Amino acid sequence: MAHSSLPVRLAPSLLSADFGDLEGAIRAAEEGGADALHLDVMDGHFVPNISFGPALVRDVRRRTRLPLDIHLMVEEPARFLGAFSQAGGDVLAFHVEARGDPAALAHQVRDLGKRPGLAIRPDTPFSRVEALLPEFDEIIVMTVHPGFSGQAFLPHVLPKLREVREALDRVGRSVDLSVDGGVTLETGPLAAGAGANFFVCGNSVFANGAVPQENLRRLRQAIQGRVP
Ligand code: DX5
Ligand code: ZN
């Protein structure tokens, strides 16, 4: 079994929060012990939805000290890395399926003084990312088709998650392995068992009818129970 020895980290996704009260969502995430905030940027081309841009990231940045992970679901990451860096992103993650050379884009992110992340769609094979892993500080394996929160976790991605974890262990650097999409009390532990140590959670924190702080605590408990 491919367990990660890295600490379990949770990143609530603001996409599932009430955009009219993002400040409340940020406070709830902090109080619930979040390790970072996940911000989903969508351009209406790479994915069939539009979310928000650098101005919102800037305003979130002013309201928290939590690291901001920017998940760029955009066709041309090169055009936007500067703006999201300046807005206060800490990790700038783009998709392997987007336009541009991922290694060159990773260097562009490092030149901005930020940490590069690489995201991978559910049906993109491990072979597409294997050689790129040493360039990145975070790998985001998507367990839903990107574009919307609140979708069901795709269990067929679990073997790929395990492959990425094993490859990262061979690289020998501590790289966060993130799982993004449909993470719940049931699926979070499954992803942990396959080697994920970083858990993006949208609806299971902000849109399940219970208090976000409590949701986060319960998720952490469930996931930590699965990691030796
Ligand atoms: C989907 C986004 C996810 C999403 C997660 O395209 O990348 O980060 O907000 O939301 P849940 O946890 O509800 O699937
Ligand atoms: Zn995301």
Side-chain angles (χ1 to χ4, degrees):
M1 194 63 75
H3 290 293
S4 164
S5 52
L6 292 166
V8 168
R9 300 174 69 211
L10 300 182
S13 168
L14 292 184
L15 190 63
S16 295
D18 174 356
F19 281 11
D21 183 21
L22 281 181
E23 183 134 29
I26 294 166
R27 292 286 88 79
E30 289 179 340
E31 288 168 17
D35 299 284
L37 294 177
H38 183 93
L39 288 99
D40 289 300
V41 175
M42 304 180 183
D43 67 353
H45 291 278
F46 186 75
V47 289
N49 196 7
I50 295 176
S51 57
F52 47 75
L56 184 132
V57 173
R58 176 200 63 208
D59 290 350
V60 170
R61 175 74 293 160
R62 288 178 178 158
R63 286 166 173 80
T64 184
R65 290 186 166 176
L66 285 173
L68 303 184
D69 282 12
I70 314 298
H71 178 188
L72 296 168
M73 284 161 275
V74 304
E75 195 64 56
E76 286 192 72
R79 283 177 53 201
F80 299 103
L81 295 174
F84 284 99
S85 168
Q86 204 175 3
D90 294 292
V91 171
L92 302 181
F94 50 84
H95 270 260
V96 69
E97 305 88 358
R99 237 177 266 164
D101 169 25
L105 291 168
H107 288 164
Q108 195 181 331
V109 171
R110 289 209 194 275
D111 287 345
L112 291 164
K114 307 292 180 172
R115 306 175 65 222
L118 187 67
I120 174 170
R121 282 178 163 153
D123 295 336
T124 299
F126 169 65
S127 57
R128 274 287 292 281
V129 297
E130 185 172 12
L132 294 166
L133 298 179
E135 306 288 342
F136 291 89
D137 290 349
E138 181 179 345
I139 307 298
I140 301 178
V141 173
M142 297 223 52
T143 39
V144 297
H145 295 288
F148 302 90
S149 56
Q151 302 180 77
F153 184 91
L154 298 169
H156 77 263
V157 181
L158 285 169
K160 182 170 71 184
L161 201 54
R162 196 170 277 119
E163 281 182 298
V164 175
R165 177 79 268 158
E166 286 168 1
L168 288 175
D169 289 346
R170 286 196 295 276
V171 169
R173 219 157 40 82
S174 61
V175 175
D176 280 315
L177 178 50
S178 231
V179 60
D180 183 8
V183 172
T184 63
L185 291 173
E186 290 75 36
T187 61
L190 293 178
N197 73 293
F198 202 163
F199 301 82
V200 176
C201 13
N203 274 27
S204 63
V205 168
F206 291 118
N208 74 346
V211 179
Q213 289 91 321
E214 196 48 40
N215 287 332
L216 265 167
R217 284 186 208 110
R218 292 180 66 203
L219 277 163
R220 189 181 293 279
Q221 238 173 13
I223 292 166
Q224 264 166 355
R226 187 65 185 80
V227 177

